[in-house]
Amino acid sequence: MTVYIDPPNWPGHGRMWSHLVSDDSYEELHRFARALGLPRRAFDRDHYDLPAQRYADALAAGATGIGSKELVARLTAAGLRRRKARGERGEAGRNP
């Protein structure tokens, strides 16, 4: 079971962001995020938003870096993808 992170290429709030996901469970993802010191408010439906300056920290903690399309494919294949409801917007007004 693995935690994955995509490159910080998602803009929002004057920063660039990565997405952190698990291919096993939300519990695995929450444990990993807690170990990184991420606040629960960084969790958005099925992933954690991670600012670019924390990307290297996630890799050093054991996350596997993959491209954004592959990240979504693995999340979907694991049955953990939670899409936004029609008309719902995220913090930065984007879907991962």
Side-chain angles (χ1 to χ4, degrees):
M1 308 308 129
T2 306
V3 173
Y4 297 97
I5 189 166
D6 64 358
N9 55 11
W10 299 95
H13 305 284
R15 296 175 158 186
M16 298 301 284
W17 298 84
S18 291
H19 299 115
L20 190 67
V21 305
S22 168
D23 70 350
D24 180 52
S25 68
Y26 297 121
E27 184 52 40
E28 176 186 46
L29 179 59
H30 294 312
R31 274 194 312 270
F32 191 91
R34 276 193 304 272
L36 275 179
L38 298 178
R40 185 63 179 242
R41 70 179 178 274
F43 182 69
D44 183 17
R45 294 178 339 275
D46 56 12
H47 67 276
Y48 276 85
D49 291 319
L50 191 76
Q53 64 268 25
R54 299 292 315 274
Y55 180 76
D57 296 338
L59 293 174
T64 299
I66 60 174
S68 298
K69 289 181 181 181
E70 179 68 15
L71 182 139
V72 172
R74 289 181 187 238
L75 187 62
T76 301
L80 297 172
R81 180 78 165 123
R82 292 182 180 160
R83 292 190 166 269
K84 290 189 178 184
R86 181 173 286 219
E88 184 182 356
R89 295 178 58 94
E91 247 180 68
R94 48 132 174 81
N95 283 325

